[in-house]
């Protein structure tokens, strides 16, 4: 091992200015035995650097190489594994734990001892030496020593100490006093030695001369000790006297403490008595108000409110520890409970009577509303009851059972009252709706389209006014009159003959106003009642009463709720204020939704197109209600009714499509514009006026697409079945009408259908022109078709005239058969034929005639081109010119 140590010092550490102090041959624990050396080194330069270096023997030779070095300051733990038994295993904790197995226990112990000594000398830090024998560790070396024994070789490590400034100055003075201090160091050393011996002798003589003085000093010390004993005896006597005084003062202090304690107790007792008197004393006026105060007058209600608040304050006062055991406090609390129960019974009984009387009093006012489309106002009743709001809050906090009973009674009484009012209100609404039939007949004699559009525009945009909770453009108007109820449905087929029918726009406008007035009456009624419930029953905060959303049940088709309170034996579940109010509103206004559904069905029975008005109105009111509170009773109810209206609207559209599919056309008369095509125009005009700026425009757009597709499909179906009118005429006229309608109304969702209608109109116009015009120069056309066939077979165009059947003589012969007079006669007959096919309503005769003129001229130019190419220089031309053709068409059109 010594040889290895010298080799490592020479090859590895000396070049790096380091000195090897200890070495141990190790291998890693748990792996193959690949040996290496752990070396403890210090640097030869200052400041001293202490490292633990891992050295490994090279695989290719006998030399060693430095693999990794750890500064000793990074070492935190040295774990020798076992302090009592010899064990070659040990761990070094640097940035991670390194586990080693030494080749011998001696090397391991020597290395650990070296690490401990280096730590004590250079680092002075607390490295934890775990499981290391105490005999192995040496004491820390004082900082003044100049050497330390390290490692198994016990080498001396010199420690150099610099001279301080004073020492340097003394040496310089001494050397200046001797001329040969530098030139002859041995002589200088001998001189210093002689001077030192002289000084030592002087020191010894001085010590011996001072013995007499020491004896004198000892005598003086003995005398001083005697004086100290005398002083101690006097101090003891003084201490006994002071102790007697102290005992007397202690007795006086204890007496004063007892007096102060008595005063403190008296003050605290007074404070407790004042606390109980001030907070648990109810005045006689408050007691009188609680026992027999007037609950029917404003002054009496105010007095009872103040008394109840004072009582609640006394009952809820936080007593201090021990107060509840006082007899007077128990007695006072019993009195408070008696006052509370007595007043709670009086208050509950009085409010129940108020609820009952309100139901009877309000019923007497129903007669005056029976002929008017208005609901009775409950504001006076709410105003009177709100005087008791603070008392209700007191009852809620003191007697939950009676509070819950009042809620049940209020809901029961007021729901019956509202049920009567709402049913009578809807009966008036249905009566007024049925009266619109007779009044609508007055408008039947007016021009149909102008009257409809004017009436609709005035209905939607002409009226002014304000609605409670609504900003709809259709405002509340009073509808008067009487008449029989009508049961009839509108369709796109009879919209075209609206002037002769009693189902006109005037009827629908009046229905719209009535329906809007119904919604405008119901909305403030529900909002006012909901606001009253929240304020009167103090439901603004969290309340542990009510039913959960899952407690709803169906009763005779009506949505209702189970009793809001379940009695004292069952604690109701916690619920938010909105849910509680909503459940109360469902029970109170349980008839609104079914009555609205009946009214909607009634309006739909009168006229299926009323669903358009109802969809717009209901959508707007649902939108406004959801903006206020999406989970409120009003929002939920109107949302459910809106679903019904939307179904009726979809049913109306489906009914129109079915009627289109079932339409039958007369076989003896020309078709013209189909009734459902003109009906779609009327429907679109009506719908656009109703749905302008509506919230549910998407529903109408979907209906438009369904209708226009059905109209297109059924136009083609009728065109295919038509016998009197050519198919192309039916398609051309009706798609032209559809295109004109969509272009005029500018319905954005039908832009693609508008372009498609235009394309179909153009295609069928061209097809009809070609079909009707046919081959006006039949023989000439056959002649040139033969020429084109020869050219197609390979005959050159300039050689066609040499063909026997197609020479110049044959060409002149065919041309002479078509003089201008004959051509004009044929065109005149064609004009009459087209006039019979086309209807006057669409006024497409001139358009078709102009298209025929263009087609005829195109054929004429085609013939002339063939003559010029196949018979060049022949001088053969047609017997009429393009100018003649234009004159023929113009004169024929003017003559008819």
């Amino acid at each position: 091992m010594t040889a290895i140590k010298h080799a490592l010092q020479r090859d590895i550490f000396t070049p790096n200015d380091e000195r090897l102090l200890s070495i141990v041959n190790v291998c890693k624990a748990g792996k193959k035995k690949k040996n290496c050396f752990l070396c403890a080194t210090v640097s030869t330069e200052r400041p001293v650097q202490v490292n633990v270096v891992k050295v490994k023997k090279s695989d290719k030779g006998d030399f060693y190489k430095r693999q990794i070095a750890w500064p000793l300051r990074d070492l935190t733990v040295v774990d020798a594994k076992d302090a009592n038994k010899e064990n070659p295993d040990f761990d070094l904790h640097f940035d991670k734990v390194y586990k080693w197995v030494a080749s011998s226990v001696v090397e391991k112990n020597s290395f650990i001892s070296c690490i401990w000594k280096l730590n004590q000398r250079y680092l002075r830090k607390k490295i934890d030496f775990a499981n290391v024998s105490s005999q192995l560790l040496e004491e820390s070396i004082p900082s003044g020593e100049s050497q330390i024994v390290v490692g198994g070789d016990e080498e001396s490590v010199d420690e150099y100490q610099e001279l301080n400034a004073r020492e340097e100055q003394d040496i310089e003075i001494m050397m200046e006093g001797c001329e040969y201090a530098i030139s002859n160091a041995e002589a200088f050393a001998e001189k210093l030695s002689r001077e030192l011996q002289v000084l030592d002798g002087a020191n010894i003589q001085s010590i011996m001369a001072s013995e007499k003085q020491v004896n004198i000093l000892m005598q003086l010390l003995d005398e001083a000790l005697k004086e100290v004993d005398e002083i101690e005896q006097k101090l003891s006597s003084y201490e006994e006297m002071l102790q007697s005084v102290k005992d007397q003062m202690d007795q006086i202090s204890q007496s004063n403490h007892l007096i102060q304690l008595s005063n403190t107790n008296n003050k605290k007792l007074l404070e407790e008595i004042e606390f109980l008197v001030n907070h648990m004393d109810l005045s006689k006026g408050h007691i009188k108000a609680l026992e027999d105060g007037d609950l029917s007058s404003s002054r009496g209600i105010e007095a009872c409110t103040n008394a109840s608040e004072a009582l609640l304050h006394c009952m809820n006062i936080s007593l201090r520890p021990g107060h509840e055991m006082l007899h007077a406090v128990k007695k006072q609390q019993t009195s408070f409970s008696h006052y509370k129960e007595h007043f709670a019974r009086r208050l509950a009984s009085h409010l129940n009577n108020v609820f009952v009387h309100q139901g009877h009093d309000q019923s007497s006012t129903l007669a005056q509303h029976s002929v008017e489309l208005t609901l009775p106002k409950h504001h006076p009743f709410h105003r009177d009851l709100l005087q008791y709001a603070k008392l209700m809050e007191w009852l809620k906090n003191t007697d939950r059972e009676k509070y819950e009973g009042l809620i049940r009674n209020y809901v029961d009484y007021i729901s019956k009252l509202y049920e009567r009012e709402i049913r009578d209100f809807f009966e008036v609404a249905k009566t007024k709706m049925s009266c619109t039939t007779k009044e609508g007949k007055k408008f039947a004699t007016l021009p149909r389209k102008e009257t409809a559009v004017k009436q609709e525009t005035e209905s939607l945009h002409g009226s002014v006014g304000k609605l409670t909770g609504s900003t709809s453009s259709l405002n509340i108007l009073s509808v008067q009159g009487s008449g029989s109820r009508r049961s009839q449905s509108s369709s796109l087929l009879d919209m075209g003959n609206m002037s002769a029918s009693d189902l006109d726009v005037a009827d629908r406008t009046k229905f719209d106003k009535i329906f809007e007035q119904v919604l405008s009456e119901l909305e403030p009624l529900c909002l006012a009642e909901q606001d009253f419930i929240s304020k009167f029953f103090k439901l603004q905060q969290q309340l542990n009463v009510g039913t959960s959303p899952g407690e709803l049940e169906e009763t005779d088709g009506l949505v209702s709720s189970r009793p809001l309170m379940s009695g004292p034996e069952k604690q109701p579940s916690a619920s938010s204020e909105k849910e509680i109010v909503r459940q109360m509103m469902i029970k109170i206004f349980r008839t609104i939704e079914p009555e609205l559904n009946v009214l909607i069905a009634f309006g739909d029975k009168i006229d299926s197109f009323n669903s358009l008005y109802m969809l717009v109105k209901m959508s707007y009111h649902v939108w406004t209600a959801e903006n206020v509170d999406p989970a409120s009773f009003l929002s939920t109810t109107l949302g459910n009714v809106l679903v019904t209206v939307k179904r009726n609207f979809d049913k109306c559209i489906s009914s129109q499509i079915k009627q289109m599919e079932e339409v039958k056309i007369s076989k003896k008369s020309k078709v013209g514009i189909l009734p459902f095509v003109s009906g779609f125009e009327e429907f679109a005009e009506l719908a656009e006026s109703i749905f302008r700026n509506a919230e549910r425009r998407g529903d109408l757009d979907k209906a438009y697409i369904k209708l226009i597709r059905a109209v297109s499909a059924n136009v083609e179906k009728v065109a295919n079945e038509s016998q009197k009118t050519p198919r192309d005429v039916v398609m051309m006229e009706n798609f032209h009408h559809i295109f004109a309608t969509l272009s005029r109304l500018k319905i954005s969702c039908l832009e693609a259908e508008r372009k498609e209608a235009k394309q179909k109109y153009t295609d069928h116009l061209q097809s009809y022109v070609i079909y009707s015009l046919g081959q006006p120069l039949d023989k000439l056309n056959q002649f040139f078709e033969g020429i084109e066939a020869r050219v197609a077979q390979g005959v050159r165009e300039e050689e066609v005239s040499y063909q026997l059947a197609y020479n110049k003589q044959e060409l002149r012969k065919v041309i002479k058969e078509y003089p201008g007079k004959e051509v004009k006669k044929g065109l005149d007959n064609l004009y009459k034929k087209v006039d019979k096919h086309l209807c006057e309503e669409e006024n497409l005769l001139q358009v078709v005639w102009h298209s025929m003129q263009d087609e005829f001229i195109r054929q004429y130019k085609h013939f002339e081109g063939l003559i010029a190419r196949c018979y060049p220089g022949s001088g053969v031309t047609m017997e009429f010119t393009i100018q003649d053709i234009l004159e023929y068409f113009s004169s024929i059109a003017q003559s008819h």
Side-chain angles (χ1 to χ4, degrees), residues 700-890:
L700 179 62
D701 292 344
K702 294 178 183 178
Y704 273 149
I705 293 174
K706 290 181 181 179
L707 285 174
I708 197 66
R709 290 177 180 174
V711 168
S712 300
N714 285 284
V715 166
E716 294 186 10
K717 174 185 174 184
V718 172
N720 293 332
E721 296 175 354
S722 174
Q723 298 179 1
K724 183 71 176 179
T725 305
R727 177 181 184 276
D728 289 327
V729 172
V730 177
M731 297 288 287
M732 173 185 65
E733 289 183 329
N734 284 279
F735 278 106
H736 177 268
H737 193 86
I738 293 171
F739 169 71
T741 299
L742 297 181
S743 298
R744 176 169 52 85
L745 296 178
K746 297 179 181 180
I747 302 173
S748 58
C749 69
L750 297 181
E751 182 62 24
E753 284 74 10
R754 184 185 72 84
K755 294 179 180 178
E756 182 181 356
K758 181 180 180 181
Q759 185 62 40
K760 288 185 177 181
Y761 153 69
T762 304
D763 293 344
H764 288 285
L765 170 62
Q766 188 66 22
S767 176
Y768 176 68
V769 167
I770 295 174
Y771 169 78
S772 299
L773 190 61
Q775 307 295 342
L777 310 175
D778 188 36
K779 293 182 179 180
L780 188 61
N781 190 71
Q782 292 178 3
F783 182 82
F784 282 110
E785 284 181 354
I787 291 175
E788 292 175 342
R790 294 295 188 276
V791 173
Q793 293 172 1
V795 178
R796 298 173 61 183
E797 290 183 342
E798 58 270 18
E799 296 177 357
V800 171
S801 60
Y802 299 107
Q803 299 286 327
L804 182 62
Y806 299 101
N807 56 28
K808 297 179 182 178
Q809 290 76 16
E810 291 295 328
L811 175 61
R812 290 191 180 96
K813 182 179 178 180
V814 172
I815 289 176
K816 287 182 180 180
E817 293 184 8
Y818 294 99
K821 184 178 179 180
E822 289 297 325
V823 172
K824 183 178 181 181
K825 182 179 178 181
L827 290 176
D828 188 64
N829 292 332
L830 177 62
Y831 186 90
K832 294 177 180 178
K833 178 181 177 182
V834 172
D835 189 25
K836 290 181 180 179
H837 288 165
L838 299 179
C839 65
E840 297 179 359
E841 182 179 0
E842 202 60 21
N843 195 21
L844 290 177
L845 179 58
Q846 295 303 321
V847 177
V848 174
W849 188 243
H850 188 270
S851 298
M852 288 184 171
Q853 173 183 293
D854 295 341
E855 178 63 21
F856 193 89
I857 292 174
R858 187 192 66 77
Q859 292 186 14
Y860 178 86
K861 290 180 178 180
H862 177 65
F863 294 156
E864 279 194 336
L866 286 175
I867 292 173
R869 293 193 303 273
C870 297
Y871 302 92
S874 63
V876 179
T877 59
M878 305 287 286
E879 294 192 359
F880 55 91
T881 63
I882 291 178
Q883 186 62 36
D884 294 333
I885 295 173
L886 294 174
E887 291 179 358
Y888 296 158
F889 274 91
S890 177

Side-chain angles (χ1 to χ4, degrees), residues 312-482:
L312 184 61
H313 175 74
C314 292
M315 295 180 66
N316 291 339
I317 191 68
S318 297
L319 295 177
R320 297 171 183 174
H323 284 179
E324 64 276 1
M325 303 187 66
L326 296 176
H327 177 72
V329 172
K330 293 180 180 180
K331 183 178 179 181
Q332 194 74 345
Q333 288 177 336
T334 304
S335 300
F336 291 159
S337 299
H338 170 73
Y339 297 147
K340 181 202 74 172
E341 293 174 0
H342 177 71
F343 182 68
R345 285 196 301 271
R346 286 184 59 231
L347 178 61
S349 176
H350 178 77
L351 289 177
N352 280 326
N353 292 333
V354 172
F355 297 158
V356 175
H357 292 156
Q358 169 61 18
H360 294 305
D361 295 343
Q362 196 76 9
S363 300
S364 62
T365 63
L366 291 177
Q368 62 185 8
H369 295 277
S370 60
V371 295
E372 298 178 5
L373 194 57
T374 57
L375 281 166
K377 305 301 180 185
H378 289 241
H379 176 69
F381 174 55
H382 292 166
R383 181 192 59 211
D384 295 340
L385 278 180
L386 283 177
Q387 298 179 90
Y388 300 94
K390 291 185 177 180
L391 292 176
M392 284 299 298
E393 184 178 11
W394 175 86
L395 191 64
K396 181 180 76 171
N397 295 329
T398 57
D399 196 329
R400 178 71 62 176
E401 182 179 358
K402 289 185 174 60
Y403 173 77
E404 295 172 353
L406 281 175
I407 290 182
R408 288 197 300 271
N409 293 339
Y410 176 80
V411 170
D412 290 341
Y413 286 122
I414 206 68
S415 62
K416 295 176 183 177
L417 175 61
Y418 274 122
E419 184 174 355
R420 293 194 301 269
E421 293 177 353
I422 291 171
R423 285 180 178 173
D424 293 343
F425 173 72
F426 276 96
E427 286 299 323
V428 174
K430 286 186 281 188
T431 302
K432 289 185 177 295
M433 286 180 181
S434 63
C435 293
T436 59
T437 302
K438 288 187 177 182
E439 294 182 4
K441 292 181 179 180
K442 296 187 295 181
F443 298 94
T445 58
L446 296 177
R448 172 182 55 83
K449 186 172 181 180
E450 291 78 359
T451 303
V453 176
K454 181 179 179 182
Q455 187 74 24
E456 189 63 27
T457 304
E458 291 178 355
S459 167
L460 292 170
H461 308 291
S463 58
V464 295
K466 294 183 178 179
L467 301 179
T468 303
S470 173
T471 57
S472 174
S473 60
L474 296 176
N475 301 281
I476 302 176
L477 295 177
S478 176
V479 181
Q480 298 179 354
S482 61

Side-chain angles (χ1 to χ4, degrees), residues 190-206:
E190 290 177 1
K191 179 184 177 182
L192 292 178
S193 178
R194 288 193 300 270
E195 290 178 356
L196 180 60
Q197 291 176 0
V198 172
L199 290 174
D200 288 340
N203 286 335
I204 293 172
Q205 290 177 3
S206 176

Side-chain angles (χ1 to χ4, degrees), residues 163-178 188 192:
L163 297 176
N164 56 36
R166 183 175 179 181
E167 290 173 342
E168 289 180 358
Q169 186 178 3
D170 292 342
I171 290 175
E172 289 177 356
I173 293 172
M174 185 172 59
M175 292 176 70
E176 288 174 356
C178 184
F188 181 64
L192 292 178

